[in-house]
């Protein structure tokens, strides 16, 4: 249970221990750590160095093919998630991946189907942390995108969802678009769920993140102006979306 006895979000009821919990305090909930398997941090013992890596948290809301995901070599672990409410829901954490594994993870995502609409789930992305990958830089990058670009990249910080608000200077917690609290990575909570309906956006999303990551790596802090970050962000998004659309169209013709 969370420390606030008046927490209005503690509405979920645990049949194992007769306690209530909310998405914010689920990890401290008595039964949270008794699920099989114990979550293994995919970055533990594997410090992220200079090369770009990315990882996905794939929340699947509702009954689905758990064996397909649990047995896949790119899935590091899985656990329940307090923000998912349908029977059979789980969150899966991927291994840290390089760009060479993008096709493989996309093909896995293409096979994910559930018996619900997945509107409450997310697909958070982690990218490798360096001294030049600051949340403030990434704030201005995301802030520059328009609604069409966000939709094509499966981003939702322009919507009214409570889980990924994009607020300047607010880079901590479970309701921010950019979460800067992890040791080895920066977490981007703006991404919507990854499943068979959104798999076509994954390539563009990762290519955009990769392009911006490389751009930031070229310039020491604070050698970048806001207008330059935003201009690059719009160009990188357009390029990633156009390239992905062209590749997808090519695959359909084959």
């Amino acid at each position: 249970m969370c420390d606030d006895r008046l927490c209005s979000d503690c509405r979920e009821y645990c049949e194992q221990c007769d306690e209530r919990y909310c998405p914010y305090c689920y990890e401290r909930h008595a039964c949270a750590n008794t699920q099989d398997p114990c979550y293994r941090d995919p970055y533990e013992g594997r410090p992220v160095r200079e090369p770009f890596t990315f990882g996905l948290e794939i929340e699947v809301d509702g009954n689905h093919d758990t064996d397909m995901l649990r047995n896949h070599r790119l899935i590091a672990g899985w656990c329940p998630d307090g923000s998912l409410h349908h029977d059979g829901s789980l969150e899966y954490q991927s291994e840290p991946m390089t760009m060479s594994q993008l096709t493989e993870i996309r093909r896995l995502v293409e096979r994910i189907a559930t018996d619900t609409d997945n509107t409450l789930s997310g697909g958070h992305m982690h990218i490798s942390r360096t001294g030049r990958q600051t949340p403030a830089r990434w704030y201005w990058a995301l802030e520059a995108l328009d609604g069409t670009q966000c939709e094509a990249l499966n981003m939702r910080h322009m919507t009214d969802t409570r889980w990924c608000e994009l607020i300047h200077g607010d880079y901590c917690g479970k309701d921010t678009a950019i979460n800067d609290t992890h040791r080895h990575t920066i977490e981007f909570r703006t991404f919507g769920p990854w499943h068979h309906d959104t798999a076509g956006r994954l390539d563009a999303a990762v290519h955009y993140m990769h392009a911006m990551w490389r751009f930031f790596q070229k310039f020491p802090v604070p050698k970048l102006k806001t207008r330059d970050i935003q201009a690059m962000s719009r160009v990188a998004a357009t390029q990633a979306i156009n390239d992905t659309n062209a590749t997808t169209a090519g695959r359909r013709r084959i």
Side-chain angles (χ1 to χ4, degrees):
M1 295 289 288
C2 58
D3 297 329
D4 187 356
R5 293 183 178 273
L6 300 179
C7 174
S8 61
D9 288 325
C10 284
R11 303 186 182 117
E12 298 303 310
Y13 176 75
C14 178
E15 296 181 355
Q16 297 184 56
C17 66
D18 294 330
E19 293 284 356
R20 292 189 180 274
Y21 61 89
C22 72
Y24 295 103
C25 66
Y26 181 77
E27 293 178 356
R28 287 177 283 166
H29 172 61
C31 295
N33 297 317
T34 63
Q35 306 293 333
D36 179 44
C38 293
Y39 168 62
R40 176 172 65 86
D41 181 354
Y43 289 90
E44 190 67 34
R46 298 179 57 179
V48 178
R49 298 181 178 87
E50 195 75 356
F52 174 83
T53 62
F54 71 99
L56 298 181
E57 296 177 18
I58 305 173
E59 297 177 357
V60 187
D61 197 11
N63 292 312
H64 59 282
D65 188 347
T66 57
D67 289 339
M68 175 189 72
L69 287 159
R70 289 176 177 179
N71 295 328
H72 197 279
R73 73 183 193 93
L74 291 181
I75 298 301
W78 58 89
C79 60
D81 188 289
S83 65
L84 305 177
H85 304 290
H86 294 99
D87 291 339
S89 300
L90 285 173
E91 175 194 295
Y92 299 85
Q93 303 88 22
S94 80
E95 296 281 359
M97 296 174 285
T98 65
M99 294 299 289
S100 65
Q101 294 165 302
L102 177 53
T103 297
E104 185 177 3
I105 191 66
R106 172 178 44 78
R107 288 174 176 168
L108 174 63
V109 169
E110 288 173 342
R111 297 167 60 193
I112 298 175
T114 72
D115 55 2
T116 70
D117 58 10
N118 260 279
T119 55
L120 295 177
S121 55
H124 311 154
M125 186 183 300
H126 291 248
I127 64 167
S128 23
R129 173 187 290 282
T130 76
R132 300 185 181 188
Q133 305 297 322
T134 69
R137 284 181 162 188
W138 279 101
Y139 167 84
W140 291 115
L142 297 189
E143 199 272 340
L145 302 177
D146 62 29
T148 300
Q149 290 172 321
C150 285
E151 182 177 1
L153 297 172
N154 200 30
M155 293 183 179
R156 53 186 184 169
H157 57 266
M158 292 190 70
T159 68
D160 59 357
T161 179
R162 59 177 288 191
W163 303 112
C164 56
E165 294 184 82
L166 184 63
I167 302 174
H168 191 216
D170 186 1
Y171 312 125
C172 177
K174 294 181 177 295
D175 56 357
T176 61
I178 305 168
N179 182 12
D180 192 40
T181 62
H182 298 281
R183 179 181 178 185
H184 298 302
T185 65
I186 299 178
E187 178 188 16
F188 292 83
R189 300 177 60 83
T190 177
F191 291 101
W194 297 112
H195 49 71
H196 68 291
D197 289 334
T198 60
R201 307 175 197 172
L202 182 57
D203 282 15
V206 175
H207 278 287
Y208 165 79
M209 299 296 287
H210 185 212
M212 292 305 301
W213 189 92
R214 293 177 63 190
F215 176 68
F216 290 144
Q217 284 299 103
K218 294 178 181 178
F219 300 96
V221 177
K223 297 294 185 180
L224 275 175
K225 295 181 179 179
T226 297
R227 66 172 181 267
D228 296 326
I229 294 174
Q230 295 197 307
M232 178 60 187
S233 180
R234 288 187 284 265
V235 170
T238 298
Q239 188 68 51
I241 294 165
N242 289 345
D243 287 351
T244 299
N245 289 341
T247 301
T248 302
R251 285 200 298 263
R252 289 172 179 168
R253 287 195 296 268
I254 296 176

